[in-house]
Each structure stands twice: as structure tokens, then as C-alpha cells.
Amino acid sequence: MKTRNKSYKDYGFEDGEEKQLISFCKSSDFNAHIKLYVSCISANEDLSEELFYSLRRGVSYDALEKAKHIPLSKTDFYAYRRKALANLKEKMKECKK
């Protein structure tokens, strides 16, 4: 399945789990910056900085696009953002083992 067509469920997220992870990424308690950045690089190296900033600061595609040209459509941006969150989820699971 293409990345742009994958949903959170396809990545194994339970209902609402992605919202909790996004909230955690934005919180002051978040201490996994390197894991998040590596997860963004794994999702799309060329877009990793924008993905990281979006997840860490809660900035939308539209707001990022106003400040800096993003070479992908909104649909593709959010697809890679979902992939980055799935990568982060896996990295956090590995740390708990």
C-alpha cells in the first residue's frame, strides 16, 4: 500500500492513540527529541525538519506552507507525518523492552 493511502489503523494505532502521541510530542514532558527526529528522517529525509517541527510544535501544513514552500501536497505531507508517528511509536516500544 502506498504511504499516502495508509491510515493510523494501518500502522497499528488504536482509536485516539495518535492524538495522545501528538499531544505528548508537544508537551513540556517530551524528552525523546532524537527519537522523533530520527523517526521523521526515516519517514521522509527531505521533509524531516518540517515533519519534526509540525509534530513538536503542533504546526499545520498550511501554516508551514506560508513560512516555507513544502514540495509536497497536503495529503502527502500528512501521510509522511503519520509514518513518522508510527516510526516513533515503534522506537518507544523498543526502549520499553
Side-chain angles (χ1 to χ4, degrees), residues 3 37-52 71-72 76-77 79-81 83-84 87:
T3 300
Y37 193 68
V38 169
S39 297
C40 292
I41 291 170
S42 296
N44 184 313
E45 187 172 356
D46 295 332
L47 202 61
S48 58
E49 290 179 27
E50 290 82 1
L51 292 170
F52 179 84
L72 292 175
D76 290 333
F77 176 82
Y80 285 114
R81 189 174 133 152
K83 186 174 182 177
N87 293 343

Side-chain angles (χ1 to χ4, degrees), residues 5 8 11 15 21 23 43-44 46 50 57 59 74 87:
N5 297 328
Y8 285 114
Y11 286 112
D15 286 339
L21 189 53
S23 291
N44 184 313
D46 295 332
E50 290 82 1
R57 300 288 180 214
V59 178
K74 188 175 188 176
N87 293 343

Side-chain angles (χ1 to χ4, degrees), residues 51 70 91:
L51 292 170
I70 299 178
K91 288 186 183 316

Side-chain angles (χ1 to χ4, degrees), residues 8-71:
Y8 285 114
K9 289 219 183 273
D10 293 323
Y11 286 112
F13 281 85
E14 299 294 325
D15 286 339
E17 187 179 10
E18 76 283 354
K19 291 177 185 171
Q20 291 174 340
L21 189 53
I22 291 169
S23 291
F24 178 58
C25 288
K26 295 187 299 186
S27 76
S28 60
D29 294 333
F30 185 72
N31 61 358
H33 297 90
I34 293 173
K35 286 181 184 66
L36 176 58
Y37 193 68
V38 169
S39 297
C40 292
I41 291 170
S42 296
N44 184 313
E45 187 172 356
D46 295 332
L47 202 61
S48 58
E49 290 179 27
E50 290 82 1
L51 292 170
F52 179 84
Y53 191 77
S54 174
L55 288 167
R56 184 68 183 112
R57 300 288 180 214
V59 178
S60 70
Y61 172 88
D62 293 327
L64 284 171
E65 179 68 19
K66 286 179 184 176
K68 179 182 179 185
H69 173 71
I70 299 178

